[in-house]
Amino acid sequence: MAYQLVVSQADDVADGVLRRSKHYLPHVARLCLIATFLEDGLRMWFQWNEQRDYLNLTWRCGPVLATLFVATNMLVQIVGCFMVLLRKYVQVAVGMLFAIIVIQTAVYTVLWDAKFFLRNIALCGGLLLLLAEISGEVKTMFAGVPTGDTNRKQSYMQLVGRVLVVFMFMTLFSFEFSVLRLVELVVGTVLMVSMVIGFKTKLAALVLVAWLTILNFVLNSFWMVPYNRIMRDFLKYDFFQTLSVIGGLLLVVALGPGGVSYDAHKKKF
């Protein structure tokens, strides 16, 4: 009974936050979501020579192809980000950003690094949630017209997006034995399962947003590292990639769990 009361009160708080922020929350979510792509596109410009030389040395593709890859990588990401922010051809923009994730995973051999690979998977989940948002907007443009296929498509995109975003938290767990780590593991697992099945989804997503934001500023504070340290670039990459996953979670808060979820199923009965 006490547990149900606490959850109910927390759910009311989450609903209150959503009501007060519903007009600007989707904009904040989209800005956070594209943060890592925008930062990486700008990185290509400011580290042009370093990126070109790395690709040339790693793949022995020659300076021309390496330069072409860096230029394409930069332009596709920056243009895609502005398309998302301006709400112009968003589906095309999402496809462009998906392609960047796949290409970078192969070119920078992220596939063999479990941490980076899982974070890229989570980033794909955020982009799927962005596609789900667009599907919802298209649906509202045709009020009164049967949209069963659109509803199902949006619901399944929200389901897959929720599941993929959860992969981010699998990279944060440490299996060192201590009371604090045990609590972190148990609470994190409960929240992740709640997100996956769509139970108290908005509440779980808000808690995960708060948790991930705190961890991001504590663990990835790249601004505290001198410019000449290579660790600064790694922390900066992690910071903005985590910020993008936070954007995906904020989209979950704004959109809700979708039709394929325990929350939606419960409303039918």
Side-chain angles (χ1 to χ4, degrees):
M1 184 65 71
Y3 161 77
Q4 292 178 342
L5 180 61
V6 171
V7 172
S8 178
Q9 291 176 341
D11 212 16
D12 290 340
V13 171
D15 287 337
V17 170
L18 181 58
R19 282 195 300 271
R20 289 190 294 271
S21 62
K22 64 180 180 180
H23 296 297
Y24 58 84
L25 183 61
H27 301 288
V28 174
R30 290 190 290 269
L31 181 60
C32 290
L33 184 57
I34 59 96
T36 190
F37 298 103
L38 187 58
E39 187 276 332
D40 197 55
L42 293 175
R43 183 202 301 260
M44 294 295 156
W45 174 259
F46 289 109
Q47 297 182 357
W48 184 282
N49 292 333
E50 293 89 336
Q51 295 291 332
R52 181 199 59 203
D53 294 343
Y54 169 81
L55 290 168
N56 189 21
L57 289 173
T58 303
W59 293 99
R60 301 188 182 280
C61 57
V64 175
L65 285 179
T67 300
L68 182 62
F69 177 84
V70 173
T72 303
N73 203 352
M74 178 186 69
L75 289 174
V76 169
Q77 290 190 90
I78 292 177
V79 171
C81 288
F82 278 101
M83 288 168 69
V84 169
L85 291 178
L86 296 174
R87 315 298 289 146
K88 300 294 185 182
Y89 306 104
V90 177
Q91 291 171 319
V92 175
V94 169
M96 292 163 60
L97 298 178
F98 264 127
I100 287 294
I101 293 175
V102 173
I103 292 170
Q104 287 193 352
T105 298
V107 171
Y108 292 103
T109 63
V110 173
L111 187 63
W112 313 117
D113 188 309
K115 176 182 174 181
F116 286 108
F117 179 70
L118 290 175
R119 290 190 174 190
N120 277 353
I121 292 293
L123 202 54
C124 289
L127 290 176
L128 268 179
L129 291 167
L130 185 57
L131 275 182
E133 183 195 23
I134 294 301
S135 297
E137 290 179 357
V138 170
K139 179 178 63 177
T140 57
M141 291 173 60
F142 298 96
V145 179
T147 55
D149 290 340
T150 302
N151 286 338
R152 284 194 294 272
K153 181 180 178 181
Q154 182 187 16
S155 294
Y156 282 113
M157 282 193 291
Q158 287 177 265
L159 170 63
V160 177
R162 290 198 322 266
V163 172
L164 295 184
V165 164
V166 162
F167 279 91
M168 179 68 184
F169 295 89
M170 296 175 63
T171 69
L172 301 176
F173 289 143
S174 174
F175 295 98
E176 301 172 1
F177 182 77
S178 68
V179 175
L180 182 60
R181 292 296 186 187
L182 183 60
V183 171
E184 180 185 27
L185 180 61
V186 172
V187 173
T189 302
V190 170
L191 290 171
M192 287 191 296
V193 171
S194 180
M195 277 279 293
V196 169
I197 67 175
F199 174 69
K200 300 291 183 183
T201 316
K202 293 182 180 180
L203 174 60
L206 271 178
V207 174
L208 289 173
V209 164
W211 181 21
L212 198 54
T213 300
I214 293 170
L215 286 178
N216 199 26
F217 278 90
V218 171
L219 300 179
N220 298 324
S221 51
F222 66 90
W223 52 89
M224 302 293 291
V225 180
Y227 282 94
N228 59 348
R229 298 282 298 276
I230 192 170
M231 181 57 67
R232 180 186 174 90
D233 279 342
F234 284 111
L235 291 177
K236 190 176 182 181
Y237 177 83
D238 283 352
F239 179 87
F240 283 99
Q241 197 169 45
T242 304
L243 189 61
S244 290
V245 175
I246 290 172
L249 289 170
L250 288 174
L251 279 179
V252 173
V253 176
L255 297 175
V260 186
S261 64
Y262 180 85
D263 289 342
H265 182 72
K266 185 174 61 175
K267 291 179 181 178
K268 296 179 183 178
F269 297 96

